[in-house]
Amino acid sequence: MSELDQLYMRRALELAEWGRGFVSPNPMVGCVIVHQGKIIGEGYHQTYGAAHAEVNAILSVDNQELLKESTAYVTLEPCAHWGKTPPCANLLVEKGLKKVVIAAVDSNPLVGGKGIEILKNAGIEVETGVLEKEARWHNRRFFTQIEKQRPYVILKWAQTRDGFVARENFDSKWISNTQSRQIVHKWRAEEDAILVGKNTALHDNPSLNVRDWIGKDPVRIVLDSNLRLPSDLHLFDGSIPTICYNSIKNEILNNLEFVNLGPDFSVKAMLSDLNHRKIQSLLIEGGSLILQKFIQAEVWDEARVFTSKTTFERGISAPVLHQNPQETLSIGEDILQVYYHG
């Protein structure tokens, strides 16, 4: 693995990042085409159902004849199956690329080495594993869903300096600052779905949409086992696709779907249903009991915790993570700590 290989692959990963929030349930993919040490084409997967990174990179090359003496750097193994678009591996063969450098092999059973096989059978030199760790981390939502058959789970909460997420009457009224709240809206735009429990829905009446950022609204999810939440909550206004998991009924009303998980109402049953719906990532915003439930079940991948200078002295206790944070950032006067599970 040469320094130049790493340089071009890092550029491909930069390009792939532009697809965040727009390509799920597909992975984010970037592609760079190099001819005699010069980048002649770039592309990334922009929107789910639209052209893949390799297609966009090839289309950006002015002189298509140069492709026969060029190397393509791709962050993920080129697809080998017909989906919403034709196989990218076949396109690379058709255009006669000299070499293809791949960061990570696709663990999707539809692909799983088949794209590499197509390239090699056509006489194209293939190299894999260039910045593989970085590429898998970049697409950790995709790989989690493929390999664990569930969404990538992100826990998020804001707590006071003395460890509370709300007052005893469940009134929290902005523990974190304005900048922290705007960051949360950015996160919402990047994930497929967002979840709250019954108490958070009742006492905060959240909209769970993207207001302070540009991007799509995530699918809203609320847990209400016995269907006791009032129908006039923002979550039930029909403005955004919403799922209410419960133990009573299955019913679809416009943009609102009630899903009966049965009497056990388990975390794993809900995640299994979300997986079948191709929900690749889930942001859980509360309340404390729901967050702790996921922690105790050890079904989470990442936790993002804001701590403000505010104190409540008494209130609803914040969830507890029995590990040290991997990242600590200052957001104004708030402290953001990020934890990774496993």
Side-chain angles (χ1 to χ4, degrees):
M1 185 196 315
S2 71
E3 289 186 9
L4 276 177
D5 285 337
Q6 294 183 53
L7 179 67
Y8 296 134
M9 193 62 77
R10 289 194 191 284
R11 175 56 184 163
L13 284 168
E14 288 178 358
L15 292 167
E17 177 63 24
W18 284 96
R20 186 176 297 280
F22 299 100
V23 301
S24 178
N26 283 350
M28 297 174 287
V29 182
C31 178
V32 170
I33 298 175
V34 178
H35 179 262
Q36 295 181 357
K38 179 183 177 182
I39 293 177
I40 61 170
E42 294 185 334
Y44 67 97
H45 185 27
Q46 300 176 15
T47 309
Y48 176 67
H52 288 186
E54 298 92 326
V55 176
N56 289 327
I58 286 171
L59 288 174
S60 75
V61 176
D62 292 329
N63 185 352
Q64 294 282 298
E65 288 300 313
L66 295 180
L67 292 171
K68 293 180 174 60
E69 293 298 323
S70 298
T71 298
Y73 291 82
V74 192
T75 58
L76 189 68
E77 177 183 0
C79 62
H81 65 285
W82 284 84
K84 289 184 176 292
T85 61
C88 291
N90 293 43
L91 177 65
L92 293 168
V93 170
E94 177 190 326
K95 294 296 182 178
L97 270 292
K98 182 179 179 181
K99 182 179 179 180
V100 177
V101 180
I102 299 165
V105 174
D106 196 331
S107 55
N108 186 331
L110 289 172
V111 180
K114 295 176 183 176
I116 293 173
E117 184 180 359
I118 288 172
L119 297 174
K120 286 184 175 180
N121 288 343
I124 296 175
E125 182 184 352
V126 178
E127 182 179 352
T128 61
V130 175
L131 299 188
E132 178 181 13
K133 183 178 179 181
E134 291 87 339
R136 282 186 59 87
W137 177 251
H138 184 252
N139 260 323
R140 59 192 180 276
R141 292 158 181 80
F142 171 75
F143 284 111
T144 295
Q145 184 173 45
I146 292 296
E147 296 167 8
K148 296 185 178 180
Q149 296 294 291
R150 65 164 175 80
Y152 185 86
V153 176
I154 302 169
L155 311 178
K156 170 265 162 184
W157 70 87
Q159 62 186 24
T160 61
R161 188 173 60 188
D162 51 355
F164 299 105
V165 295
R167 299 186 186 279
E168 291 174 320
N169 63 355
F170 288 93
D171 176 19
S172 59
K173 290 306 174 189
W174 306 134
I175 291 175
S176 57
N177 63 35
T178 303
Q179 297 134 294
S180 296
R181 297 199 297 274
Q182 186 174 31
I183 288 172
V184 170
H185 281 251
K186 176 179 181 292
W187 292 344
R188 290 178 180 180
E190 294 173 348
E191 310 306 337
D192 286 354
I194 183 170
L195 179 149
V196 294
K198 181 186 67 176
N199 287 337
T200 299
L202 182 63
H203 295 287
D204 291 356
N205 192 17
S207 296
L208 299 185
N209 56 15
V210 177
R211 301 183 300 278
D212 295 334
W213 201 258
I214 297 173
K216 64 175 179 61
D217 294 313
V219 173
R220 301 185 297 198
I221 299 170
V222 61
L223 306 183
D224 184 15
S225 179
N226 297 311
L227 294 180
R228 292 176 178 169
L229 288 173
S231 60
D232 60 351
L233 293 177
H234 294 318
L235 288 176
F236 302 139
D237 62 13
S239 62
I240 300 169
T242 302
I243 301 170
C244 178
Y245 284 111
N246 65 89
S247 298
I248 306 294
K249 68 177 182 179
N250 291 303
E251 186 178 6
I252 298 177
L253 300 170
N254 297 320
N255 250 356
L256 172 62
E257 182 174 359
F258 294 89
V259 178
N260 183 354
L261 287 180
D264 63 335
F265 206 71
S266 71
V267 165
K268 291 184 178 179
M270 183 198 70
L271 292 177
S272 177
D273 183 73
L274 291 175
N275 181 57
H276 287 307
R277 295 169 185 269
K278 296 185 177 181
I279 298 292
Q280 196 180 87
S281 59
L282 176 65
L283 177 64
I284 302 177
E285 288 205 12
S288 186
L289 288 176
I290 296 297
L291 289 161
Q292 196 65 52
K293 191 173 183 178
F294 275 82
I295 293 170
Q296 289 172 349
E298 295 193 352
V299 187
W300 63 281
D301 300 287
E302 192 171 325
R304 303 168 181 176
V305 183
F306 292 100
T307 302
S308 75
K309 289 189 172 182
T310 307
T311 58
F312 282 176
E313 296 184 0
R314 295 186 304 275
I316 309 299
S317 295
V320 178
L321 291 169
H322 298 288
Q323 65 182 76
N324 295 321
Q326 277 82 8
E327 298 175 30
T328 301
L329 304 167
S330 295
I331 312 295
E333 293 190 341
D334 290 349
I335 299 298
L336 170 61
Q337 293 179 308
V338 183
Y339 303 76
Y340 298 108
H341 184 228

